[in-house]
């Protein structure tokens, strides 16, 4: 069988780290063309794939009729244009996430793809990670009972970002970068659609670099998530069920951790017994009774539970 002739569109950080070495390794694939607008990156990619034709932008690569399929790893704001142009040029498309930066553009990519008869795929790679697949099986088999709710965190260390990731207009912001993965995974884990969304955004080091997200799925499951590109590397899920909890972190876990509710209850009881002296003589009551005996108590003892303006 003839090898599939593939073009790599955008040779930035992730393409040089993941896509390029993979394409060079696969036996049934020939990396025949590269497109990269940054001269230094273009040179580096050309050095690593010396047999590929090298183009300064995606448009020139897409005009090459010998390229049968493309992997698009461009800044997010260029995704929908590049995907539509590639499909119009008759090429199969693997498009890095997100599909587009707004719903209208995402719909137009889908319309063109549906008419094209070509293969189209979005880069939600974590659906193929054994940890995420195992979590979905655990949820389906009710290993911790019926799921009551889920929490997730996707955070990265405060690294320098490319300019386009610092601005929502050019496709930046943590919702498109990280939350798109977790929103996709929640739909994957639960086989449910999202019924309701609430988000809060904060711009600290760059525009919209932190966000909280609350989702209600169609079966009413509640999901709460936090995303930031300004803290430390963490990609963590917690699923609370009627019999316990499932947890894992993509960076740190080898498998999904199961916490059994009955075992936790025994452990809590054991620890409580170990702290019996504290339970017999709780310091809070001691303070109250001491205050009452001396008839002296700081005003804040009662007012600290009220907001300042209500005191
Ligand atoms: N699936 C994942 O887990 C994952 C992980 C990281 C990044 N991504 C996605 O990959 C894409 C690239 O991210 P990145 O971190 O590598 O960004 P990046 O900025 O490092 O790479 C983008 C590259 O595209 C080049 N470029 C811009 N316009 C071009 C044009 N018209 N023609 C050719 N090249 C052009 C830039 O010079 C740059 O080198 C983003 O969409 C991002 O969301 C996905």
């Amino acid at each position: 069988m003839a090898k599939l002739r593939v073009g790599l569109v955008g040779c930035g950080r992730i393409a040089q780290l993941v896509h390029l070495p993979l394409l060079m390794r696969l036996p049934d694939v020939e990396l025949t063309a590269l497109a990269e607008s940054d001269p230094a990156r273009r040179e580096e990619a050309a050095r690593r794939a010396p047999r590929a034709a090298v183009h300064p932008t995606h448009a020139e690569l897409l005009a090459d009729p010998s390229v049968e399929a493309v992997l698009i790893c461009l800044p997010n704001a260029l995704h929908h244009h590049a995907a539509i142009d590639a499909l119009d040029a008759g090429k199969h498309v693997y498009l890095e996430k997100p599909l587009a930066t707004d719903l209208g553009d995402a719909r137009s990519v889908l319309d063109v793809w549906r008419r094209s008869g070509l293969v189209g795929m979005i880069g939600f790679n974590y659906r193929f990670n054994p940890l995420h697949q195992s979590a979905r099986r655990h949820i389906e088999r009710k290993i911790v009972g019926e799921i009551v709710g889920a929490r997730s965190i996707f955070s990265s260390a405060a690294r320098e970002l490319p300019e386009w990731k610092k601005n929502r207009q050019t496709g930046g912001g943590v919702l498109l970068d990280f939350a798109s993965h977790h929103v996709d995974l929640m739909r994957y884990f639960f086989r449910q659609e999202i019924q309701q969304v609430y988000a809060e955004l904060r711009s600290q080091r760059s525009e919209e670099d932190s966000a909280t997200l609350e989702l209600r799925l169609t079966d009413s499951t509640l999901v709460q998530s936090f995303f930031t590109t300004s803290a430390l590397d963490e990609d963590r899920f917690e699923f609370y069920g009627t019999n316990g909890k499932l947890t894992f972190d993509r960076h740190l876990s080898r498998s999904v951790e199961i916490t059994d509710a009955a075992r936790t209850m025994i452990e809590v009881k054991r620890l409580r017994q170990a702290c019996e002296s504290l339970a017999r003589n709780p310091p809070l009551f001691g303070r109250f009774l001491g205050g009452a005996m001396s008839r002296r108590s700081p005003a804040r003892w009662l007012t600290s539970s009220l907001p300042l303006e209500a005191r």
Side-chain angles (χ1 to χ4, degrees), residues 13-14 19 71-80 83 93-101 121-127 154 164-165 170-185 227 229 235 250:
R13 195 189 71 85
I14 200 66
H19 305 68
L71 274 63
I72 299 176
C73 306
L74 292 172
N76 294 342
L78 300 178
H79 283 193
H80 82 286
V93 168
Y94 174 95
L95 177 61
E96 264 309 340
K97 41 61 62 172
L99 193 55
T101 54
M121 192 172 196
I122 180 88
F124 281 132
N125 45 321
Y126 297 134
R127 284 186 177 222
F154 193 167
W164 68 266
K165 282 197 186 184
T170 48
V174 80
L175 284 181
L176 291 172
D177 204 3
F178 291 174
S180 58
H181 275 299
H182 279 209
V183 168
D184 175 63
L185 284 171
F227 305 99
T229 51
D235 186 1
R250 178 171 58 85

Side-chain angles (χ1 to χ4, degrees), residues 103 175-176 179-180 182-184 186-187 192-201 211-218 220-227:
L103 200 54
L175 284 181
L176 291 172
S180 58
H182 279 209
V183 168
D184 175 63
M186 291 302 176
R187 295 172 62 241
Q192 298 288 324
E193 288 304 326
I194 289 150
Q195 194 179 55
Q196 215 173 295
V197 184
Y198 178 76
E200 286 284 351
L201 294 161
T212 56
L213 193 65
E214 294 196 357
L215 308 176
R216 179 185 283 273
L217 306 187
T218 36
S220 284
T221 301
L222 298 175
V223 176
Q224 197 179 47
S225 302
F226 174 64
F227 305 99

